[in-house]
Amino acid sequence: MCRSSEFDLLVSHAVTLFPEDTVLSALQVMHRHGVHVLPVVDGRDGAWLGQVSQQELHRLSGFAPLARLAEILTARARVETEEKTAGRRAPAPHRWLH
């Protein structure tokens, strides 16, 4: 069983990213720690905001290397919302081509 001080030590050494981190800086952190996915947390209260993968960041690094993770999480949320909204629409009638 983990004592409180041991738990605090583990949590204090957790590798996380923050909304103001850029794509490039996030990739550097991932490389340095040998991880492929990291959580993005609020710097004030440590609240979990989302996560990013190394694969996703590599795709973005080609055209938006200085984009902030907050922008990425916001864009992802918008896409997910649009997909959910689009899913609620009545399906288009199916037309067969002969």
Side-chain angles (χ1 to χ4, degrees):
M1 185 162 152
C2 197
R3 291 181 295 185
S4 179
S5 62
E6 291 172 348
F7 179 75
D8 291 341
L9 181 64
L10 290 173
V11 171
S12 69
H13 288 98
V15 179
T16 58
L17 299 170
F18 300 98
E20 59 275 4
D21 289 334
T22 66
V23 169
L24 286 181
S25 66
L27 283 169
Q28 289 172 342
V29 170
M30 288 179 165
H31 179 73
R32 185 176 327 123
H33 294 281
V35 296
H36 301 287
V37 177
L38 280 176
V40 180
V41 299
D42 187 306
R44 290 168 289 183
D45 62 7
W48 185 85
L49 302 173
Q51 66 184 25
V52 291
S53 71
Q54 188 177 36
Q55 181 181 11
E56 175 182 28
L57 295 176
H58 273 296
R59 281 194 315 266
L60 292 168
S61 69
F63 61 91
L66 299 179
R68 305 261 182 235
L69 298 183
E71 298 171 82
I72 294 164
L73 294 176
T74 300
R76 187 189 302 153
R78 284 184 186 146
V79 168
E80 290 171 359
T81 300
E82 290 172 4
E83 288 174 352
K84 288 179 185 177
T85 303
R88 292 184 191 151
R89 294 182 191 147
H94 187 79
R95 294 185 183 171
W96 293 96
L97 299 176
H98 296 279

